[in-house]
């Protein structure tokens, strides 16, 4: 599996750019550019009920967003106390929650006559991959800071918390979008939610 | 730092595009009885054999739905021979040319997800009937193309959740599979940009065939609920009325037909048209050239009619000669005979078109000197009218 290719695939669909970091001056964060989400025909007919596999994947993306929040929060707390074991334990709990959520979504889809287990990684692999990416972000945020100084620790914690919130908001919006494609055929709702999340993140970062 | 973007990308892509599916080769799927949207489907081939289709993951989030061709049958004579493919491919190792060549950098679909909807039901992918064709030797036929297509649809939507673009196409009988399944697929992926291209399936048929033989497939049972669609089959003029209805109903989508002007051979469009002109006699396919001129004239007139009705999102392409289908032929990359643009450039212009505007290069293409055949094009041997020699070239000459 080529992760770089997979990641590139979504770059077009989710053109979202976050700048992260504690800065010494008031340099501007770069806001994201909202995706257009594609364009569908309007047809004018009655929208079909959302398909169970789509609902399931939407739930998985939302759960991934919650995992994101929890993992970033664990790192934010760590910025204050540097307690490795507490951080790892919190992330392990989040991972278990993600696996349970995904299993529940798959079971619900199966009960509704749809398969939702093939389209995604296994939950454990997903959690591992997201964790690796979040670890890298957290380390880059805290690199060069003296976390013994309360100002640095607070700054890093705030940015990590904001990162988790932004990740959660965007993934929740992605989940809503894929969960019912008919409800957002032109992608404008997803684009707006993404734009809002980026704006909120940028605001928090400046604050 | 753009790492946070990467987290989102990871979570989105790896929940929607089946990361466990091979991107190096097609995976064969052999479905059994399948529940889908409250209905039970029984995928199978015309003689009850195992159905099989194929899927391949790409590296961009765009999807080709390709409907395979392979003739058709509709009565004791045609199904008794039969005049169609009765078994799906065992693999797709031979899919390595034209738009099926995924190593060709000129191929606009080389990086797309690809679902290959095999064909073995003899009903242009839309049959929903078991028929007992009575004759000298009775023939029982499972026209279950619609079941096969729906099972492939279910697999596709559960493995590629939200492609940015969907290119629905098919060759010969598969052209109709593409054209008739496309509105149903649009319901599956309503947020995707749709492009629908029928390759060598223009719907040049007789009124008698439309009114009397079409029903053997129970075709109208599953037609999309779009104004004018059912009427186009039951009381209209067939494909032109259908195309006008769906293109008008889905104005953001792009629709197109490709054909050579004299698409021939016993299994080509002229072959089947000549059968219909001769009361369904399969032997008429062996003298297919007798219908070449009538086919070309009718196909062009139909396409002009469709374009006149839905000029914004319908186009046609007529190339020279008599070759049947182009999708798997390398001529799509270099043939400009008859002063036409290459098929690939025309398809790229189609892909660049959408509700925000149609690409200026996506125009109707009509060959000059359309009777000029290319090397390898079907021709009667020895030559018979309307085929004749012009210098060293074989040409088709119609009044």
């Amino acid at each position: 599996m080529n992760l770089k290719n997979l990641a590139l695939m979504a770059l077009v669909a989710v053109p979202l750019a976050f700048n992260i970091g504690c800065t010494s001056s008031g340099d501007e964060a770069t806001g994201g550019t909202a995706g257009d989400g594609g364009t569908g025909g309007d047809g004018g007919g009655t929208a079909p009920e959302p398909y169970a596999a789509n609902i399931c994947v939407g739930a998985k993306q939302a759960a991934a967003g919650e995992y994101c929040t929890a993992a970033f929060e664990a790192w934010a707390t760590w910025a204050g106390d540097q307690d490795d074991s507490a951080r790892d334990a919190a992330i392990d709990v989040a991972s278990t929650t993600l696996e349970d959520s995904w299993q529940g979504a798959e079971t619900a889809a199966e009960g509704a006559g749809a398969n939702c287990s093939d389209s995604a990684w296994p939950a454990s692999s997903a959690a591992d991959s997201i964790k690796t990416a979040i670890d890298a972000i957290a380390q880059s945020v805290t690199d060069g800071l003296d976390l013994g100084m309360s100002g640095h620790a607070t700054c890093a914690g705030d940015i990590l918390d904001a990162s988790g919130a932004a990740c959660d908001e965007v993934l929740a919006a992605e989940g809503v979008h894929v969960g019912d494609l008919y409800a957002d055929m032109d992608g404008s709702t997803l684009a707006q939610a993404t734009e809002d999340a980026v704006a909120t993140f940028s605001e928090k970062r400046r604050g | 730092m753009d790492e946070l973007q990467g987290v989102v990308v990871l979570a989105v892509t790896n929940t929607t595009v089946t990361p466990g599916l091979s991107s190096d080769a097609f995976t064969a799927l052999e479905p059994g009885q399948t529940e889908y949207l409250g209905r039970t489907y029984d995928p199978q081939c015309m003689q009850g054999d195992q159905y099989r289709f194929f899927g391949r993951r790409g590296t961009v989030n765009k999807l080709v739905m390709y409907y395979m061709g392979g003739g058709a049958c509709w009565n004791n004579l045609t199904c008794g021979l039969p005049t169609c493919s009765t078994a799906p491919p065992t693999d797709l190792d031979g899919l390595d040319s034209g738009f099926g060549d995924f190593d060709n950098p000129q191929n606009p679909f080389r990086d797309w997800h690809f679902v290959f909807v095999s064909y073995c039901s003899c009903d242009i992918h839309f049959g929903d009937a078991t028929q007992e064709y009575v004759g000298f030797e009775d023939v029982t036929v499972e026209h279950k193309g619609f079941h096969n297509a729906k099972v492939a649809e279910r697999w596709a939507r559960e493995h590629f959740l939200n492609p940015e673009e969907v290119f629905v196409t098919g060759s010969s009988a598969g052209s109709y599979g593409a054209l008739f399944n496309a509105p149903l697929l649009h319901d599956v992926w309503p947020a995707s940009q749709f492009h629908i291209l029928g390759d060598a399936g223009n719907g040049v048929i007789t009124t008698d065939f439309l009114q009397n033989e079409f029903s053997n497939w129970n075709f109208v049972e599953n037609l999309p609920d779009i104004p004018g669609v059912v009427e186009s089959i039951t009381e209209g003029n067939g494909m032109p009325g259908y195309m006008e209805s769906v293109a008008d109903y889905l104005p953001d989508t792009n629709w197109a037909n490709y054909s050579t002007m004299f698409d021939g051979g016993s299994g080509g469009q002229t072959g089947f048209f000549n059968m219909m002109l001769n009361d369904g006699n399969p032997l008429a396919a062996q003298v297919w050239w007798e219908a070449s001129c009538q086919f070309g004239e009718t196909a062009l007139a139909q396409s002009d009619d469709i374009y006149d009705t839905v000029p914004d999102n319908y186009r046609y392409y007529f190339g020279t000669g008599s070759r049947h289908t182009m999708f798997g032929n390398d001529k799509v990359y270099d043939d400009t005979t008859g002063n036409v643009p290459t098929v690939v450039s025309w398809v790229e212009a189609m892909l660049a078109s959408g509700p925000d505007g149609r690409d200026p290069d996506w125009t109707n293409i009509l060959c000059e000197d359309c009777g000029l055949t290319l090397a390898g094009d079907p021709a009667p041997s020895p030559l018979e009218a309307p085929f004749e020699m012009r210098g060293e070239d074989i040409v088709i000459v119609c009044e």
Side-chain angles (χ1 to χ4, degrees):
Chain A
M1 180 164 50
N2 186 331
L3 293 180
K4 283 186 178 175
N5 282 343
L6 287 170
L8 284 172
M9 288 164 63
L11 285 175
V12 177
V14 192
L16 167 68
F18 292 100
N19 270 2
I20 308 171
C22 295
T23 53
S24 56
S25 63
D27 59 340
E28 291 296 313
T30 303
T33 305
D36 65 14
T39 312
D42 58 22
T46 306
E49 289 292 313
Y51 186 56
N54 287 67
I55 294 171
C56 168
V57 168
K60 285 185 173 184
Q61 291 182 356
E66 290 167 9
Y67 175 86
C68 220
T69 299
F72 272 114
E73 278 181 358
W75 272 103
T77 302
W78 178 89
D81 60 17
Q82 290 93 59
D83 184 341
D84 290 356
S85 60
R87 176 200 63 202
D88 293 345
I91 293 174
D92 284 347
V93 168
S95 180
T96 301
T97 302
L98 179 76
E99 291 181 34
D100 290 346
S101 296
W102 280 31
Q103 183 59 55
E106 289 178 9
T107 302
E110 194 175 341
N115 181 315
C116 170
S117 58
D118 290 349
S119 65
W121 279 334
S124 57
S125 302
D128 286 347
S129 297
I130 297 171
K131 177 183 180 301
T132 299
I134 289 174
D135 288 353
I137 291 172
Q139 282 160 9
S140 69
V141 167
T142 55
D143 262 1
L145 297 179
D146 181 355
L147 296 176
M149 297 174 64
S150 64
H152 283 200
T154 300
C155 174
D158 288 348
I159 286 176
L160 290 165
D161 275 337
S163 298
C167 179
D168 188 17
E169 287 168 27
V170 174
L171 284 175
E174 291 279 357
V176 169
H177 177 71
V178 78
D180 186 359
L181 293 169
Y182 254 96
D184 187 24
M185 286 169 57
D186 65 359
S188 59
T189 302
L190 172 61
Q192 187 60 55
T194 303
E195 191 176 324
D196 291 348
V198 172
T200 302
F201 175 79
S202 299
E203 186 66 28
K204 286 181 180 175
R205 182 176 174 275
R206 279 193 294 270
Chain B
M1 291 169 57
D2 296 327
E3 290 90 342
L4 190 52
Q5 174 185 358
V7 176
V8 172
V9 165
L10 276 174
V12 171
T13 57
N14 291 298
T15 51
T16 55
V17 299
T18 312
L21 184 68
S22 174
S23 60
D24 298 325
F26 279 93
T27 298
L29 292 311
E30 295 191 345
Q33 193 175 74
T34 301
E35 301 290 327
Y36 178 39
L37 296 176
R39 190 174 162 186
T40 302
Y41 293 97
D42 289 305
Q44 57 191 292
C45 293
M46 65 98 80
Q47 293 164 340
D49 297 331
Q50 173 69 51
Y51 180 65
R52 182 184 305 113
F53 66 99
F54 301 86
R56 177 182 187 272
R57 184 168 55 81
T59 54
V60 297
N61 192 24
K62 301 178 182 182
L63 171 65
V64 174
M65 291 291 295
Y66 179 82
Y67 292 82
M68 176 189 166
C73 77
W74 54 85
N75 58 22
N76 182 270
L77 273 176
T78 53
C79 291
L81 283 173
T83 54
C84 50
S85 167
T86 61
T90 53
D91 59 56
L92 296 184
D93 292 348
L95 189 65
D96 58 1
S97 56
F99 290 125
D101 181 356
F102 302 108
D103 294 324
N104 187 338
Q106 290 181 275
N107 182 357
F109 306 112
R110 64 189 179 281
D111 296 324
W112 291 41
H113 311 307
F114 203 114
V115 175
F116 185 98
V117 185
S118 305
Y119 181 60
C120 55
S121 53
C122 301
D123 56 6
I124 60 172
H125 292 271
F126 223 73
D128 189 6
T130 301
Q131 287 290 0
E132 182 83 17
Y133 292 118
V134 178
F136 178 71
E137 189 173 338
D138 294 352
V139 182
T140 302
V141 177
E142 300 288 351
H143 289 306
K144 296 294 174 61
F146 183 73
H147 292 235
N148 301 341
K150 291 301 281 187
V151 169
E153 172 192 305
R154 176 183 160 169
W155 185 90
R157 78 182 305 175
E158 291 176 350
H159 290 74
F160 308 114
L161 269 289
N162 188 21
E164 297 159 39
E165 297 180 50
V166 180
F167 190 80
V168 187
T169 190
S171 300
S172 190
S175 170
Y176 305 108
L179 298 171
F180 283 100
N181 278 284
L184 307 177
L185 297 175
H186 189 268
D187 277 350
V188 169
W189 296 293
S192 306
Q193 175 62 51
F194 264 68
H195 316 274
I196 302 101
L197 171 60
D199 169 22
N202 294 62
V204 177
I205 58 177
T206 61
T207 303
D208 179 67
F209 177 78
L210 182 63
Q211 294 181 345
N212 300 318
E213 312 286 1
F214 230 59
S215 59
N216 289 344
W217 298 329
N218 193 21
F219 201 86
V220 298
E221 178 70 21
N222 301 296
L223 285 170
D225 184 19
I226 293 174
V229 162
V230 171
E231 293 79 3
S232 72
I233 302 300
T234 58
E235 54 193 67
N237 62 351
M239 188 56 70
Y242 172 81
M243 293 287 279
E244 290 162 11
S245 297
V246 292
D248 180 61
Y249 187 75
L250 299 169
D252 290 348
T253 58
N254 300 320
W255 294 77
N257 284 119
Y258 165 88
S259 179
T260 56
M261 184 58 79
F262 300 104
D263 182 330
S266 58
Q269 293 200 73
T270 306
F272 278 91
F273 184 45
N274 206 35
M275 267 194 267
M276 296 174 198
L277 291 172
N278 289 275
D279 296 326
N281 183 353
L283 294 177
Q286 304 307 312
V287 287
W288 51 269
W289 52 87
E290 293 176 354
S292 291
C293 293
Q294 190 175 349
F295 167 80
E297 182 181 349
T298 308
L300 179 57
Q302 289 188 173
S303 292
D304 276 332
D305 283 347
I306 299 169
Y307 179 73
D308 286 345
T309 304
V310 280
D312 192 43
N313 59 331
Y314 171 80
R315 302 287 186 274
Y316 61 74
Y317 184 122
F318 282 98
T320 64
S322 59
R323 185 183 170 81
H324 182 51
T325 80
M326 60 74 186
F327 192 88
N329 191 297
D330 283 335
K331 80 173 187 178
V332 300
Y333 298 115
D334 56 19
D335 178 46
T336 57
T337 308
N339 198 25
V340 294
T342 60
V343 173
V344 68
S345 68
W346 183 71
V347 166
E348 285 171 338
M350 183 182 189
L351 295 174
S353 300
D356 294 333
R358 266 68 193 187
D359 189 284
D361 290 333
W362 191 46
T363 59
N364 290 329
I365 305 299
L366 178 58
C367 47
E368 299 170 4
D369 196 11
C370 293
L372 179 59
T373 64
L374 307 180
D377 279 10
S381 180
L383 294 183
E384 291 187 37
F387 287 73
E388 61 185 54
M389 295 301 297
R390 185 179 69 196
E392 294 184 349
D393 295 320
I394 298 174
V395 295
I396 303 151
V397 179
C398 298
E399 293 298 324

